[in-house]
Amino acid sequence: MNFEELIEKVKHVSYGRNSNRYDFSLVLSENKGTCSSKHAFLKDFADSNDIGNVKLYIGIFKMNEVNAPKLGDLLSKSGIDYIPEAHCYIKINGIPLDITTSESFYDKIKEEILEEIEIIPKQVSDFKVDYHKAFLKKWIEETNQNYSFDEIWSIREECIQKLSEQS
């Protein structure tokens, strides 16, 4: 299977958390993955096969009811316009490619990206969470949110749960 065929295959794998967030091969064997595991798997494949034009990124974007309509009134009932959320994707020759689902989520968030950093595959687990939490803590302070970090993280988890539900 070449890289383009693998991208198509992974794009159509169901969305869901794997049983072990450190083992990206589970994307294929469990037939599911998140933005982190799917893109880390592809970047790892590219690295292992000397495909040098592939880079892996974490983008922190404004998760809101516009780019995530499933959130309905979840954010507005909390009085929050958006919550900074971490999303992983790859860039091939500098062009963003998001295969989290069959439709690119990147296209919905590209204008809402607040910060973006390049990472290596193993950083999609602990590093991504730590980086995201540090960003949130700074955002809470800089924007004078009326919520503590734990409250914001709890609202965010509710949002993620809502987004994970099948339509």
Side-chain angles (χ1 to χ4, degrees):
M1 182 178 311
N2 69 31
F3 193 51
E4 290 75 23
E5 292 167 335
L6 184 62
I7 288 170
E8 272 309 301
K9 182 174 179 67
V10 173
K11 183 188 290 189
H12 295 286
V13 163
S14 299
Y15 181 84
R17 288 183 172 160
N18 299 104
S19 59
N20 179 347
R21 69 183 312 166
Y22 304 99
D23 183 357
F24 314 127
S25 70
L26 294 176
V27 168
L28 293 183
S29 62
E30 294 182 351
N31 199 39
K32 67 180 177 181
T34 61
C35 67
S36 300
S37 59
K38 288 182 174 190
H39 293 100
F41 174 73
L42 290 173
K43 171 61 173 154
D44 193 52
F45 179 90
D47 290 349
S48 299
N49 290 279
D50 295 322
I51 303 169
N53 56 347
V54 180
K55 295 182 186 253
L56 177 62
Y57 288 87
I58 297 173
I60 302 283
F61 72 98
K62 295 178 180 180
M63 179 173 62
N64 57 42
E65 294 176 22
V66 175
N67 57 41
K70 274 186 161 185
L71 297 182
D73 64 351
L74 199 53
L75 291 174
S76 57
K77 82 173 184 184
S78 301
I80 299 172
D81 294 330
Y82 70 92
I83 292 179
E85 179 57 27
H87 186 65
C88 287
Y89 45 90
I90 57 175
K91 290 186 182 181
I92 300 176
N93 295 321
I95 299 167
L97 179 63
D98 182 359
I99 54 88
T100 306
T101 62
S102 57
E103 292 180 27
S104 174
F105 185 63
Y106 182 88
D107 292 340
K108 295 178 183 175
I109 66 166
K110 62 185 174 191
E111 301 301 321
E112 303 289 343
I113 293 176
L114 301 166
E115 185 171 291
E116 166 183 89
I117 61 166
E118 183 182 350
I119 59 169
I120 58 174
K122 71 178 186 176
Q123 289 181 299
V124 299
S125 41
D126 297 335
F127 175 85
K128 179 188 171 198
V129 174
D130 293 342
Y131 171 73
H132 186 196
K133 286 181 175 180
F135 189 97
L136 275 177
K137 288 173 183 172
K138 190 174 100 183
W139 171 77
I140 289 166
E141 189 176 309
E142 289 176 353
T143 59
N144 297 311
Q145 292 297 313
N146 294 321
Y147 294 97
S148 69
F149 168 78
D150 289 336
E151 291 167 325
I152 290 285
W153 193 258
S154 177
I155 294 167
R156 176 214 167 259
E157 282 296 318
E158 248 186 287
C159 290
I160 299 303
Q161 181 61 41
K162 189 83 172 156
L163 292 173
S164 297
E165 293 170 5
Q166 297 298 324
S167 299

